[in-house]
Amino acid sequence: MSSDPLPSLPENRIVVGCGGVGLDFLAAVASYPKPDDKIRSTSLRVQGGGNAGNALTCAARLGLNPRIISKIADDPQGKGIREEFEADGVDTSFLVVSKDGNSPFTYVIVDNQMKTRTCIHTPGDPPMIPDDLSESTIFSALDGARILYLDGRLPDTAIIVAQEAARKNIPILIDTERQRERIDEFLKLASYAVCSAKFPQVWTEAPSVPSALVSMLLRLPNLRFAIVTLGEDGCIMLERSVNESPELEEIDVDSLLEQLKQRKDDRVAVPTCISSLEARLRAEGIGTVSGRLYIGTAEKIPPSELVDTTGAGDAFIGAVLYALCANMPPEKMLPFAAQVAAAGCRALGARTSLPHRTDPRLASFL
């Protein structure tokens, strides 16, 4: 009996992640409680969480070989975190285990009515410090790595790992969810940035998302692209030109975004990508950068199938990590990442419905 061959994997599949891991206690409720209310959950799940943990789990299921650098305690939660990673194929050799204290954990309340989720986080104790990792351990963790991913947490340790990666010319992807300690240092070393909706304008003080992206690429010469994720509104990406041509047309970046939006077909439910031609993109009062602007649309998930958006951004990043290892062009990467993120929203918890590379919904990308 013959079977279809699996899609080929990227040649270098090693990705290293340094950042947050934890255990999530997820309770779905019919509607968010008022103060002093006593209500019952409609469903409950306990599973691994944390930005870096979720993104690397996603990457592992897609076929990469991730290594996690983080810290847990020698407690039941820590044991659960580690076992879940190992079951998904995430290398835990560089996970520091404290003999005392507690592993990080988060209570997550998922509101079935409003489709929101509220997180109450308890950090791990004792916290991770640079002395937890020897120089030889960092060398081993980065050995053969295609890319380093940072979620902005564990900053004093992560910056040492990032500096060593930069010395080894390993590209760095930074998740800029919000202003965090040492974020400027991470951004200066980064090759790629995936940002929350508000971060670019907060960081640059630019008047719009497109002008903020221009500002980021001007201020960060190492940055090859920046993506802003917008939830159900998809994403916007600005990619820097490899070779600047003096003959490129100059165009206002805000006007260009409006032109791309007009090309969107709202009747299409599956994720798509709309791109500009290469141009000199001008942001008024900020400057000009040569590159291409992209709009990525999100999957239109039927309300009956949308369960929980916890970890959707982490799933998106896990898919971007895979796309970079596979050298996917942005026109393919953005719909692929949106498809993976949408799959993760169809069950309670960040990891429950993360797809594997054999998932039929991913066949056209892989």
Side-chain angles (χ1 to χ4, degrees), residues 243-254:
N243 299 306
E244 291 201 25
S245 167
E247 287 129 36
L248 290 176
E249 179 190 2
E250 185 170 309
I251 186 166
D252 178 79
V253 72
D254 289 296

Side-chain angles (χ1 to χ4, degrees), residues 19 76 89 100 113 164 176 182 221 298-299 303 317 343 349:
D100 302 303
Q113 183 180 39
E164 185 55 38
T176 56
R182 308 189 80 154
E299 183 184 348
I317 287 175

Side-chain angles (χ1 to χ4, degrees), residues 295-361:
I295 289 179
T297 65
E299 183 184 348
K300 289 181 171 58
I301 305 173
S304 60
E305 295 179 27
L306 180 60
V307 176
D308 179 16
T309 59
T310 303
D314 303 329
F316 185 94
I317 287 175
V320 169
L321 290 170
Y322 179 91
L324 289 169
C325 290
N327 298 313
M328 277 188 196
E331 294 90 342
K332 188 176 179 182
M333 175 178 74
L334 296 181
F336 171 64
Q339 186 76 68
V340 170
C345 295
R346 284 175 157 88
L348 185 62
R351 303 183 187 176
T352 310
S353 59
L354 281 178
H356 291 77
R357 64 180 289 102
T358 51
D359 191 305
R361 291 170 293 186

Side-chain angles (χ1 to χ4, degrees), residues 86-217:
E86 289 167 352
D88 269 309
V90 178
D91 186 343
T92 60
S93 306
F94 308 100
L95 204 53
V96 176
V97 182
S98 168
K99 293 296 177 196
D100 302 303
N102 65 273
S103 297
F105 63 93
T106 303
Y107 295 117
V108 184
I109 302 169
V110 179
D111 180 346
N112 291 336
Q113 183 180 39
M114 301 304 292
K115 306 294 184 184
T116 61
R117 47 106 172 98
T118 303
C119 303
I120 306 164
H121 180 65
T122 299
D125 185 65
M128 192 168 200
I129 56 173
D131 286 349
D132 285 331
L133 291 178
S134 67
E135 192 177 67
S136 62
T137 300
I138 295 172
F139 288 171
S140 297
L142 293 173
D143 184 45
R146 169 67 176 81
I147 193 164
L148 170 66
Y149 156 61
L150 307 169
D151 68 4
R153 290 179 167 81
L154 316 177
D156 294 338
T157 303
I159 196 65
I160 293 170
V161 178
Q163 287 164 347
E164 185 55 38
R167 278 192 285 272
K168 293 179 180 292
N169 294 315
I170 297 169
I172 297 168
L173 185 149
I174 176 79
D175 172 10
T176 56
E177 190 179 34
R178 60 173 67 95
Q179 283 275 21
R180 296 190 190 277
E181 191 182 341
R182 308 189 80 154
I183 194 73
D184 289 13
E185 295 173 71
F186 290 125
L187 281 167
K188 283 175 186 169
L189 295 171
S191 305
Y192 315 102
V194 179
C195 314
S196 64
K198 294 177 182 176
F199 178 83
Q201 284 177 267
V202 170
W203 192 72
T204 63
E205 299 182 346
S208 67
V209 170
S211 60
L213 291 176
V214 170
S215 180
M216 286 183 72
L217 263 62

